[in-house]
């Protein structure tokens, strides 16, 4: 998929777009980089970013608001040992760059300003997982409005109990350029779109909520094909109607079957964050120093894969110019690897894995997930449900969170059912599930053959930085997870 | 190392705001409003005695909303050059061509706008150099390590200062500027014993550098909070009283505000629909906003639409006295704005007579929650289920640490069952509450 041509084109485009308007040449970048570098500086980079985002929102049958956001700037980082100096500016102009460079380099207390001839070169290995075209321009504005109106009509058509429909359509187009102290120049042009639908249904005075959505690194035509947009509307209504019949959820520890796809948020919270390089280098993760140990049942193989074409969590290169890859985290139950950015990889004597990500130029890159999922097993999903005498079957979730030090994690079900004697029974109200990351996967006793990835709506927050991510898994049976309902 | 370098004085933010309103007029908008913020700051983290990060912050942003009669559009940018601003205004105008007419759209009524902008004493810059910040953070972390030898690791201690200027202006002639500062010291450490590792943290924050706690106090408190969590275990599923520590209790007030806010009401997606005048809490509960509190973390002389703020009750003697509305929601619901565009300001629950120890004694036996994780709140039904950590309480005293449990109930029942408010008010945040004792919830464990 990777073609040298595309890589050169992307780089040229990024330079023309980010640097040329300010009259900056690659020679100027070398001047800035030399300002950053000193004797004690082990690593430095310049990160240029320009992005445009839009969103359109519908409520009460009308698209009443829309917003457009433009963001640009440059972040400059200097690293000496474990110390990082960081400054940024929203002005891509030489004086601002030099000021930021001076502030960032001050991290190295002593040392003469170095001067080094930088030979710019491309990083190599960059993928071509999505088209560089601007998704905001992929549909005329009136068609974006019309799409949202169709979504709302479909939701209302589904059932007379639908009282409110809220829908929003959003897109962004971002160009980034990274220059590292070793002369490597890398660029990426990243499209991203999403469509979310949320409905309120009402029956006999009881109101319930349902929501669905999707998206990816593509353009708005994605929603017009395969009936996707209307499919989200139908799915949101279906979930809301199911919840109208929901009874109180059980409380206590029991067998839990998780459905395929988005319930993979389990992996993101239970093990994903704990396997990020920074927490392991610092020894603050419950998984620190456990490489090669068994942390899951043999049925579990989990990867973080940034190379899936068009997925929300995918990148052609990460925000440090490292090509993304498919990293095996757990292989047949054994911990195989961590997710690394360049700083933590260097300090741990490991290779960077293309997981260095940042929310924007104004944030420092840190190890982050891309698309995290468990590979398919060999069990028929129906057989998995049938094997449970009494338990919970959870198929849709809201968010989750983890304490990486104690390993305790939660994720909240928004659609779940009781399992009684191997049969799916009554729907239960939403409840939070809580477990212990280092041992929850050792209790995975059955893995389905139905691997699915989520539809593309996930956003992960860490250290105040949000980045788009993906998750996925097949149907799983976990023998013992605490369910936070109200019925003893 | 010096302080933040280079300060190029741009044109004043007020001028930029005025310029944008004029651009909107030239683009044919019948009304417009603009919000700008410029800020600078320094944040230094020290970990295990070594500097980890030195971050220099310089942020600016501008957002504009234009109205063409009853249609609107908005846009935002970080680029204050004239051509970029004009492009942003143009983008907002383009959006307004495609949005539907909404008769409730528009600026706040001129009569509601703040006529004078009271001085709230929010601006106390700290000439904190990088070296000073390193020294403070180092003292803070050292104090934490000194508390107990089981403090074996650290996520670091940070010293942060942030100074911002926010301007709101609209085409009804309103322009208001708020200059403010926010400083903090924080520390997060890790304790370990044979049972595993635990992390916790503490912080101090203030508008005024001199009002911060000492780094030693913050470090020692962080260590104390962390060490006491060692040996945490699950408990059996049960129904018991739950005491929320002040900093965890804040979220219970946020859920209330969210449920009585304009969008939740007009979308009919709130569990507190049509509850104005209803008794939601026991009669001893009073909740109010105090926006004009000097030096308050949530103080604001006017809201995000320029509407004058003042002290207002939200819950009086347990009864919901009003909703939280901006002028759009107010017009839609045929009510008046409550100056809540952009949120609530210093939301405060009147403290009761008991301190934390008193509340623990009053509870006797139950769960003391110090930390919540996850987002299991259903705003439509009020159903509540969250992960928690804390302590089992026997005979009014902490017995042992508890973890890997959930607490669940329905917010309506929890509010009705709010039996006591502590006098241990946490003033570090814009929502101000002491610890809160809830009569009964379901705790799920093993």
């Amino acid at each position: 998929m990777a073609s040298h041509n595309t890589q050169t084109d992307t780089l040229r485009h990024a330079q023309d777009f980010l640097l040329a308007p300010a009259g900056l040449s690659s020679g100027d970048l070398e001047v800035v980089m030399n300002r950053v570098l000193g004797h004690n500086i082990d690593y430095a980079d310049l990160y240029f970013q320009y992005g445009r985002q839009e969103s359109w929102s519908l409520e009460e049958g009308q698209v009443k608001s829309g917003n457009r956001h433009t963001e640009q700037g440059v972040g400059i980082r200097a690293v000496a040992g474990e110390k990082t100096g960081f400054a940024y500016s929203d002005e891509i102009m030489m004086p601002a760059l030099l000021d930021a460079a001076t502030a960032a380099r001050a991290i190295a207390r002593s040392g003469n300003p170095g001067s080094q001839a930088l030979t710019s070169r491309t990083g190599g290995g960059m993928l071509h997982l999505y088209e560089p075209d601007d998704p905001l321009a992929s549909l005329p504005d009136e068609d974006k409005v019309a799409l949202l109106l169709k979504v709302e009509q479909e939701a209302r058509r589904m059932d007379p109990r639908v009282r409110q429909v809220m829908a929003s359509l959003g897109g962004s187009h971002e160009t980034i350029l990274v220059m590292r102290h070793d002369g490597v120049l890398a660029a990426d042009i990243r499209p991203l779109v999403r469509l979310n639908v949320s409905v309120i249904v009402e029956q006999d005075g009881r109101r319930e909520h349902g929501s669905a959505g999707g998206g990816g690194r593509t353009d708005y035509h994605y929603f017009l094909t395969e009936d996707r947009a209307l499919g989200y509307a139908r799915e949101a209504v279906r979930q809301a109607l199911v919840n109208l019949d929901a009874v109180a959820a059980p409380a206590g520890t029991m067998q839990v079957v998780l459905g395929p796809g988005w319930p993979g948020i389990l992996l993101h919270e239970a093990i994903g964050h704990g396997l990020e390089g920074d927490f392991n280098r610092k020894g603050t993760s419950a998984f620190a120093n456990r490489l090669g140990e068994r942390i899951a049942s043999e049925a579990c193989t989990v990867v973080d894969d940034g190379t899936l074409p068009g997925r929300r969590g995918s990148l052609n290169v990460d925000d440090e110019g490292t090509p993304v890859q498919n990293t095996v985290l757990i292989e047949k139950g054994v911990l195989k690897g961590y997710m690394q950015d360049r700083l933590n990889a260097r300090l741990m004597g490991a290779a960077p894995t293309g997981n260095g990500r940042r929310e924007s130029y104004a944030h420092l890159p840190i190890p982050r997930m891309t698309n995290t999922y468990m590979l398919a097993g060999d069990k028929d999903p129906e057989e998995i449900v049938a094997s449970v005498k009494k338990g919970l079957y959870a198929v849709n979730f809201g968010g989750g969170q983890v304490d990486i030090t104690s390993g305790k994690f939660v994720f909240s079900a928004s659609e779940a059912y009781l399992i009684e004697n191997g049969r799916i029974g009554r729907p239960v109200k939403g409840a939070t599930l809580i477990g212990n990351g280092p041992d929850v996967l050792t209790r995975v006793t059955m893995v389905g053959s139905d691997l699915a990835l989520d539809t593309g709506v996930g956003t992960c927050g860490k250290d105040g930085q949000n980045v788009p991510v993906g998750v996925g898994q097949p149907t799983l049976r976990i023998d013992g997870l605490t369910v936070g309902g109200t019925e003893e | 190392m010096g302080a933040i370098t280079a300060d190029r004085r741009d044109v004043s933010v007020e001028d930029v705001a005025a310029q944008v309103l004029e651009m909107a007029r030239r683009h044919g908008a019948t009304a417009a409003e603009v919000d700008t913020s410029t800020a600078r700051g320094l944040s230094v983290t020290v970990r295990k005695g070594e500097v980890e990060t030195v971050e220099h912050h310089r942020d600016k942003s501008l957002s504009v909303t234009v109205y063409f009669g009853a249609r609107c559009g908005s846009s935002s940018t970080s680029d204050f050059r004239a051509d970029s601003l004009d492009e942003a205004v143009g983008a907002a105008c383009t959006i307004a061509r495609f949005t539907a007419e909404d008769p409730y759209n528009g600026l706040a009524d001129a009569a509601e706008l703040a006529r004078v902008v009271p001085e709230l004493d929010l601006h106390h810059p700290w000439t904190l150099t990088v070296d000073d910040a390193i020294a403070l953070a180092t003292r803070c972390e050292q104090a934490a390590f000194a508390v107990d030898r089981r403090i074996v690791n650290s996520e670091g201690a940070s010293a942060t200062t942030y100074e911002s200027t926010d301007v709101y202006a609209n085409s009804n002639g309103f322009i208001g500027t708020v200059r403010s500062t926010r400083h903090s010291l924080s520390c997060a450490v890790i304790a370990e014993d044979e049972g595993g590792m635990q992390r916790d943290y503490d912080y101090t924050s203030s508008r005024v550098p001199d009002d911060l706690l000492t780094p030693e106090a913050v470090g020692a408190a962080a260590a104390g909070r962390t060490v006491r969590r060692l040996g945490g275990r699950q408990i059996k599923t049960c129904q018991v009283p739950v005491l929320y520590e002040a900093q965890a209790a804040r979220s219970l007030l946020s859920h209330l505000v969210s449920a009585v806010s304009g969008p939740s009401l007009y979308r009919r997606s709130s569990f507190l629909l049509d509850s104005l005048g209803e008794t939601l809490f026991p009669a001893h509960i009073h909740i109010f906003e105090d926006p004009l509190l000097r030096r308050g973390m949530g103080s604001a002389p006017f809201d995000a639409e320029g509407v004058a703020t003042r002290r207002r009750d939200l819950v009086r003697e347990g009864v919901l006295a009003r909703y939280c509305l901006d002028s759009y929601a107010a017009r839609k619901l045929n009510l008046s704005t409550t100056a809540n565009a952009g949120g609530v300001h210093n939301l405060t629950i009147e403290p009761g007579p008991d301190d934390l120890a008193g509340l623990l004694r009053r509870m006797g036996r139950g769960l003391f929650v110090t930390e919540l994780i996850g987002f299991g709140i259903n705003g439509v039904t009020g159903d509540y289920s969250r992960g928690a950590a804390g302590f089992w309480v026997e005979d009014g005293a902490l017995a042992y640490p508890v973890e890997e449990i959930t607490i669940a109930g329905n917010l309506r029942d929890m509010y009705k069952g709010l039996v006591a408010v502590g006098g241990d008010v946490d003033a570090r945040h814009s929502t101000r509450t002491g610890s809160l004792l809830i009569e009964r919830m379901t705790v799920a464990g093993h």
Side-chain angles (χ1 to χ4, degrees):
Chain A
M1 257 183 308
S3 88
H4 181 69
N5 235 349
T6 312
Q7 194 171 335
T8 318
D9 289 350
T10 302
L11 196 54
R12 188 176 309 122
H13 172 89
Q15 284 174 306
D16 287 352
F17 192 68
L18 292 166
L19 307 180
L24 293 171
S25 65
S26 44
D28 290 327
L29 299 197
E30 288 178 18
V31 170
V32 175
M33 184 60 85
N34 273 319
R35 172 79 66 100
V36 181
L37 291 174
H39 276 320
N40 295 336
I41 302 292
D42 299 311
Y43 176 92
D45 59 18
L46 317 180
Y47 180 89
F48 296 85
Q49 180 197 1
Y50 177 89
R52 288 194 313 151
Q53 296 168 19
E54 68 171 3
S55 68
W56 298 85
S57 315
L58 172 144
E59 62 180 24
E60 300 180 311
Q62 292 185 314
V63 176
K64 290 178 177 172
S65 65
N67 184 55
R68 169 68 74 78
H69 176 67
T70 308
E71 186 170 40
Q72 64 163 14
V74 54
I76 300 186
R77 173 169 66 139
V79 181
E82 297 187 25
K83 303 183 179 77
T84 298
F86 180 56
Y88 56 88
S89 170
D90 46 31
E91 293 169 359
I92 300 182
M93 295 192 320
M94 201 57 179
L97 260 72
L98 290 170
D99 287 349
T102 305
R105 83 171 295 277
I107 192 70
R109 280 181 170 263
S110 54
N112 305 315
S115 181
Q116 186 176 332
L118 294 168
T119 340
S120 297
R121 57 192 172 87
T122 55
M126 182 176 143
L127 301 174
H128 180 67
L129 304 173
Y130 35 81
E131 296 307 316
D133 307 329
D134 180 4
L136 279 58
S138 66
L139 268 190
D141 288 343
E142 52 262 56
D143 292 8
K144 297 169 192 167
V145 170
L147 173 60
L148 287 172
L149 291 172
K150 270 175 67 182
V151 163
E152 110 101 18
Q153 282 151 15
E154 179 68 8
R156 290 200 180 270
R157 192 190 63 78
M158 288 284 293
D159 198 288
R161 290 169 288 180
V162 172
R163 287 297 143 82
Q164 289 285 329
V165 180
M166 289 145 279
S168 77
L169 179 70
S172 69
H173 192 229
E174 198 172 79
T175 303
I176 65 124
L177 174 71
V178 191
M179 185 196 212
R180 292 205 307 253
H181 73 289
D182 56 6
V184 165
L185 267 175
D188 197 5
I189 302 172
R190 299 168 178 167
L192 189 65
V193 294
R194 55 150 192 91
L195 173 60
N196 297 86
V197 188
S198 157
V199 302
I200 304 279
V201 295
E202 189 170 344
Q203 178 182 311
D204 304 330
R206 177 170 175 178
R207 280 184 306 277
E208 290 287 350
H209 169 254
S211 62
R217 297 207 179 274
T218 176
D219 65 30
Y220 291 135
H221 292 283
Y222 178 79
F223 300 120
L224 303 174
T225 49
E226 295 178 23
D227 207 23
R228 284 193 183 95
L230 301 188
Y232 302 148
R234 294 193 280 265
E235 172 60 13
V237 172
R238 187 195 63 76
Q239 281 182 29
L241 294 177
V242 164
N243 282 326
L244 277 179
D245 293 326
V247 296
T253 300
M254 60 196 72
Q255 274 190 340
V256 173
V257 176
L258 298 176
W262 180 244
I265 188 172
L266 161 79
L267 305 169
H268 180 100
E269 304 299 353
I271 59 140
H273 281 296
L275 298 181
E276 289 167 339
D278 45 356
F279 301 130
N280 287 285
R281 188 222 348 138
K282 297 174 187 175
T284 59
S285 165
F287 291 99
N289 306 311
R290 297 194 60 184
L291 275 184
E293 287 181 28
R294 171 165 300 281
I295 60 165
S297 72
E298 195 151 281
C300 298
T301 294
V302 182
V303 300
D304 182 79
D305 186 357
T307 72
L308 301 171
R311 300 297 308 187
R312 184 172 162 86
S314 299
L315 302 169
N316 288 324
V317 289
D318 75 2
D319 294 322
E320 300 178 304
T322 310
V324 292
Q325 62 183 50
N326 181 358
T327 305
V328 176
L329 304 175
I330 298 173
E331 189 172 24
K332 293 188 173 151
V334 176
L335 177 55
K336 286 291 175 182
Y338 299 125
M339 290 166 277
Q340 299 286 7
D341 63 355
R342 300 193 83 83
L343 169 74
N344 289 288
R346 180 171 57 76
L347 294 171
M348 289 181 82
T353 55
N355 290 94
R357 303 183 64 184
R358 61 203 297 176
E359 181 179 305
S360 79
Y361 67 90
H363 300 85
L364 279 169
I366 45 178
R368 302 300 294 266
M369 286 174 257
T370 60
N371 306 294
T372 313
Y373 58 95
M374 181 182 291
L375 304 192
D378 57 2
K379 295 286 185 283
D380 178 348
E382 287 179 21
E383 179 194 338
I384 297 178
V385 172
S387 73
V388 176
K389 230 178 139 52
K390 195 167 187 293
L392 189 79
Y393 178 54
V395 292
N396 272 300
F397 282 84
Q401 198 178 343
V402 62
D403 174 336
I404 51 113
T405 302
S406 69
K408 304 299 176 277
F409 70 94
V410 294
F411 57 139
S412 298
S414 55
E415 182 187 355
Y417 305 82
L418 296 171
I419 307 178
E420 280 160 328
N421 296 318
R423 293 236 170 91
I424 294 172
R426 289 200 73 169
V428 294
K429 290 178 174 224
T432 289
L433 276 56
I434 190 162
N436 183 36
D439 75 28
V440 67
L441 294 190
T442 64
R443 302 188 204 176
V444 172
T445 48
M446 293 175 97
V447 177
S449 55
D450 55 342
L451 168 64
L453 298 174
D454 73 283
T455 56
V457 292
T459 296
C460 168
K462 171 178 170 184
D463 293 357
Q465 299 194 42
N466 290 321
V467 296
V469 295
V471 296
Q473 68 176 29
T475 296
L476 298 182
R477 190 181 99 185
I478 302 173
D479 289 356
L481 199 55
T482 303
V483 178
T486 52
E487 287 293 290
E488 270 188 84
Chain B
M1 267 181 276
I4 301 168
T5 56
D7 182 15
R8 275 183 311 288
R9 276 278 155 220
D10 303 302
V11 274
S12 86
V13 201
E14 287 88 347
D15 291 346
V16 170
Q19 210 181 328
V20 167
L21 291 177
E22 173 56 21
M23 286 171 181
R25 198 186 59 77
R26 280 206 308 269
H27 279 269
T30 49
E33 55 191 327
V34 57
D35 221 321
T36 69
S37 171
T38 56
R40 44 190 291 154
L42 174 68
S43 174
V44 171
T45 302
V46 168
R47 179 175 171 268
K48 290 174 111 174
E50 297 283 338
V51 177
E52 182 168 65
T53 56
V54 174
E55 298 185 55
H56 299 274
H57 302 282
R58 292 177 71 88
D59 298 301
K60 61 188 203 287
S61 65
L62 177 144
S63 64
V64 56
T65 300
V66 296
Y67 298 92
F68 288 77
R71 292 196 321 271
C72 76
S74 63
S75 77
S76 54
T77 180
S78 61
D79 185 349
F80 284 17
R81 284 173 299 185
D83 52 341
S84 304
L85 293 174
D86 196 59
E87 201 180 298
V89 174
C93 294
T94 302
I95 287 168
R97 279 211 294 279
F98 297 98
T99 51
E101 296 218 346
D102 182 344
Y104 306 110
N105 268 337
L107 304 176
D109 295 341
E112 305 272 9
L113 298 174
R115 281 194 189 78
V116 284
V117 174
E119 166 55 43
L120 302 180
D121 200 21
L122 307 176
H123 187 241
H124 296 269
W126 193 5
T127 50
L128 181 72
T129 65
V130 171
D131 284 336
D132 294 342
I134 292 172
L136 286 170
T138 304
R139 279 166 56 194
C140 188
E141 197 197 37
Q142 271 171 357
F145 275 114
V147 165
D148 193 298
R149 60 184 173 73
R150 290 170 296 173
I151 301 286
V152 294
N153 202 344
S154 167
E155 283 190 355
S158 301
T160 297
T161 174
Y162 208 69
E163 176 180 7
S164 43
T165 303
D166 297 291
V167 176
Y168 171 81
N170 69 31
S171 56
N172 274 347
F174 181 88
I175 183 159
T177 302
V178 177
R179 278 177 232 286
S180 63
T181 51
R182 198 172 275 265
H183 319 289
S184 66
L185 288 172
S186 65
C187 184
V189 288
I190 288 160
E192 186 169 20
D193 67 2
E194 56 289 346
M197 294 193 291
Q198 294 289 346
R199 167 205 181 273
D200 214 322
Y201 69 100
D202 204 10
Y203 71 101
T204 173
S205 75
S206 173
R207 300 284 188 186
V208 188
D210 285 347
D211 288 353
L212 293 174
L213 298 178
T214 66
E216 285 75 15
V218 173
R225 293 183 65 83
T226 306
V227 168
R228 68 177 183 167
R229 291 178 66 159
L230 285 170
R233 54 178 130 140
Q234 250 191 349
I235 51 175
K236 271 202 189 324
T237 300
C238 57
Q239 295 203 350
V240 286
V242 173
L243 176 60
Y244 285 68
E245 191 183 34
Q247 82 173 32
R250 215 155 54 211
S251 60
L252 294 176
L253 295 184
S254 310
H255 304 324
L256 171 69
V257 169
S258 164
V260 299
S261 288
S264 304
L265 299 169
Y266 66 71
R267 290 171 187 154
R268 301 193 64 77
S269 61
S270 165
F271 70 97
L272 293 181
L273 221 48
D274 306 321
S275 52
L276 204 59
E278 208 180 301
T279 302
L280 298 178
F281 292 86
H284 64 95
I285 299 296
H286 314 292
I287 303 172
F288 58 94
E289 271 183 277
D290 195 6
L292 303 179
L293 187 69
R294 291 178 71 78
R295 299 186 174 185
M297 296 308 278
S299 298
F302 52 84
D303 77 353
E305 296 179 302
V307 172
T309 55
R310 59 179 169 80
R311 186 175 159 129
R312 279 184 171 92
D313 284 342
L314 182 62
V315 171
R316 197 73 223 157
E317 293 178 354
V319 175
L320 183 67
R322 64 171 170 97
Y323 296 133
C324 294
L325 307 174
D326 60 8
S327 58
Y328 175 84
R331 285 190 285 257
K332 243 174 128 70
L333 298 168
N334 202 19
L335 294 165
S336 299
T337 175
T338 55
N340 288 119
V344 291
H345 305 104
N346 296 326
L347 187 75
T348 307
I349 183 162
E350 207 164 279
D354 288 324
D355 60 6
L356 181 57
L359 288 179
L360 285 165
R361 276 195 302 275
R362 179 157 174 185
M363 177 166 74
R365 177 176 177 275
L367 183 70
F368 176 50
V369 169
T370 56
E371 188 176 83
L372 293 163
I373 61 170
F375 314 95
I377 294 108
N378 183 334
V380 179
T381 59
D383 289 328
Y384 180 102
S385 166
R386 298 190 72 183
F391 298 84
W392 184 251
V393 176
E394 281 292 346
D395 300 326
L398 304 191
Y400 52 85
V402 172
E403 63 180 7
E404 204 178 336
I405 53 159
T406 60
I407 52 175
N410 184 280
L411 283 166
R412 259 188 184 275
D413 302 332
M414 290 159 65
Y415 292 152
K416 275 254 164 66
L418 176 47
V419 292
V421 179
D424 53 337
V425 179
D426 182 357
R428 298 173 295 184
H429 195 268
S430 61
T431 295
R432 304 154 71 89
T433 177
S435 298
L436 298 178
L437 176 59
I438 308 288
E439 197 168 22
R440 200 172 183 75
M441 292 179 72
T442 302
V443 179
H446 60 76

